[in-house]
Amino acid sequence: MSPNGSDLPRTLGGAGGTPTPRRPLRRKLLQALTAGLVLATATGCTYKDFPRLGMPSPATDEAPRILSLWQGSWAAALATGVLVWGLILWSAMFHRRSRTKVEVPPQTRYNMPIEALYTVVPLIIVSVLFYFTARDESKLLDLSKKPDLTVNVVGFQWSWGFNYIENVPGSTGNADTDPNLDAIPDRFKKDFPANAGGVYDVGTPASKDPDTHNPGPTLWLPKGKTVRFVLTSRDVIHSFWVVPFLMKQDVIPGHTNAFQVTPNKEGTFMGKCAELCGLDHSRMLFNVKVVSPEAYEQHLKDLVKKGQTGYIPAGIAQTSHEKNRETTNL
């Protein structure tokens, strides 16, 4: 016998060695539901936020398509999770050793129907998700519609510049031949306005919006107008993300990306770089101010008064692969 008597048999429960019953399953279930309710309410979300599943309220005509894809993916994941959790709980509760009194239950091997089931079902799930993703992606990246305005977004370590490719009174020049825009492929330049002298705005990590005092430079856009973003980089890969637009795209040196949206809500929205790009990546913030078309036009005139006419350098010239792709697609 051990000195402390740890090897002596022990009885469960209270006096007389009467076994204490296990905690009822109902009490455990109640505790789990309570914990889940606390987790759900502690997030600070209102009942209107739950259908969006963490997404902000859409601020463009295209954003609801992205939100719908997000919600559908979550619904499919939740249905799969509920099925798997149910099978796990069913096995744990109704096939436990204390209930069946069987040390090792019968083993199932080489069951072709089951093996086919867990091979075919995941393929079907992935194929359905792929279909809807490819369908929505082709719509979101469609550039067949000529935009109302074009903005060249220039990413650099560690801030943003915005070339407004517009024919603004008081700004002379031509975006088609401006050497600062040589990095932009010809397939995008064909939609530029004629004799677009343009204006620009550029920021630093210390820049702040004069109205909201949010960090970063501010990009102005008119409500109800389709804007095409032409994305170029001066150094490394960045990612242009306007959070309420629910859309982001990489800004790649030597490779020009583009997408277009139609803002439908006025206000100032947060934007950021969504690609780890270096030491001050976290400071690559910017703002997007959606205003009336009249206020937008006035802002362009204000940039002319500040002397911010013409364009800042768009970025690194196209690689040979990108030039070949452009030639093939023209």
Side-chain angles (χ1 to χ4, degrees):
M1 184 179 72
S2 61
N4 60 3
S6 60
D7 54 351
L8 291 176
R10 301 186 180 186
T11 58
L12 300 174
T18 304
T20 302
R22 295 181 177 181
R23 178 178 296 179
L25 181 61
R26 184 179 301 175
R27 184 180 301 176
K28 291 183 179 180
L29 181 60
L30 180 61
Q31 291 176 343
L33 292 175
T34 303
L37 181 62
V38 170
L39 288 174
T41 55
T43 60
C45 298
T46 66
Y47 73 94
K48 294 182 180 179
D49 295 326
F50 280 111
R52 296 198 304 271
L53 299 170
M55 282 286 196
S57 180
T60 68
D61 290 347
E62 295 77 14
R65 177 180 293 274
I66 302 174
L67 179 59
S68 177
L69 180 64
W70 173 259
Q71 292 169 322
S73 300
W74 267 100
L78 182 60
T80 304
V82 168
L83 175 62
V84 174
W85 297 332
L87 292 174
I88 292 174
L89 292 175
W90 176 74
S91 300
M93 293 174 61
F94 296 102
H95 293 275
R96 62 187 186 274
R97 187 175 64 178
S98 61
R99 183 175 183 271
T100 60
K101 309 301 181 183
V102 177
E103 184 70 22
V104 179
Q107 303 298 297
T108 301
R109 297 183 179 89
Y110 310 113
N111 189 304
M112 290 303 297
I114 293 179
E115 293 184 11
L117 179 68
Y118 65 63
T119 301
V120 172
V121 170
L123 287 175
I124 294 175
I125 294 174
V126 171
S127 299
V128 172
L129 291 175
F130 177 83
Y131 166 76
F132 285 107
T133 302
R135 182 200 65 179
D136 291 344
E137 182 180 0
S138 64
K139 291 288 187 181
L140 294 168
L141 298 181
D142 180 24
L143 302 178
S144 60
K145 178 184 177 182
K146 187 173 181 178
D148 297 312
L149 63 140
T150 300
V151 178
N152 170 217
V153 177
V154 183
F156 56 90
Q157 295 174 315
W158 282 276
S159 194
W160 302 89
F162 308 113
N163 285 323
Y164 296 89
I165 303 176
E166 293 270 9
N167 194 343
V168 186
S171 177
T172 58
N174 191 335
D176 292 334
T177 59
D178 193 307
N180 285 330
L181 302 182
D182 283 346
I184 299 178
D186 291 339
R187 66 180 182 275
F188 298 127
K189 289 184 177 181
K190 63 186 176 77
D191 290 329
F192 287 178
N195 301 317
V199 291
Y200 71 88
D201 198 1
V202 64
T204 67
S207 301
K208 289 188 177 181
D209 181 84
D211 297 325
T212 64
H213 301 291
N214 292 336
T218 301
L219 169 65
W220 287 58
L221 299 175
K223 177 184 175 183
K225 301 291 185 179
T226 299
V227 54
R228 176 178 296 175
F229 297 115
V230 179
L231 311 176
T232 56
S233 171
R234 291 184 186 172
D235 36 52
V236 299
I237 298 178
H238 304 281
S239 184
F240 180 71
W241 180 24
V242 184
V243 179
F245 289 5
L246 310 189
M247 178 75 176
K248 62 182 177 181
Q249 196 169 41
D250 282 350
V251 185
I252 304 174
H255 176 94
T256 305
N257 282 329
F259 70 96
Q260 54 195 48
V261 296
T262 305
N264 55 21
K265 290 183 180 180
E266 293 190 13
T268 301
F269 307 113
M270 181 179 65
K272 59 180 67 178
C273 176
E275 185 80 26
L276 182 60
C277 58
L279 180 64
D280 283 338
H281 159 73
S282 62
R283 301 181 67 191
M284 275 197 68
L285 306 174
F286 64 96
N287 306 282
V288 174
K289 190 185 295 290
V290 179
V291 297
S292 65
E294 295 77 17
Y296 171 74
E297 294 294 336
Q298 183 59 49
H299 175 68
L300 298 184
K301 295 176 183 177
D302 292 340
L303 291 178
V304 172
K305 293 178 181 178
K306 293 179 182 179
Q308 296 174 215
T309 58
Y311 303 104
I312 61 173
I316 296 175
Q318 298 179 83
T319 63
S320 57
H321 295 291
E322 178 69 3
K323 289 181 179 178
N324 292 337
R325 187 175 73 89
E326 180 185 351
T327 303
T328 302
N329 292 338
L330 288 178

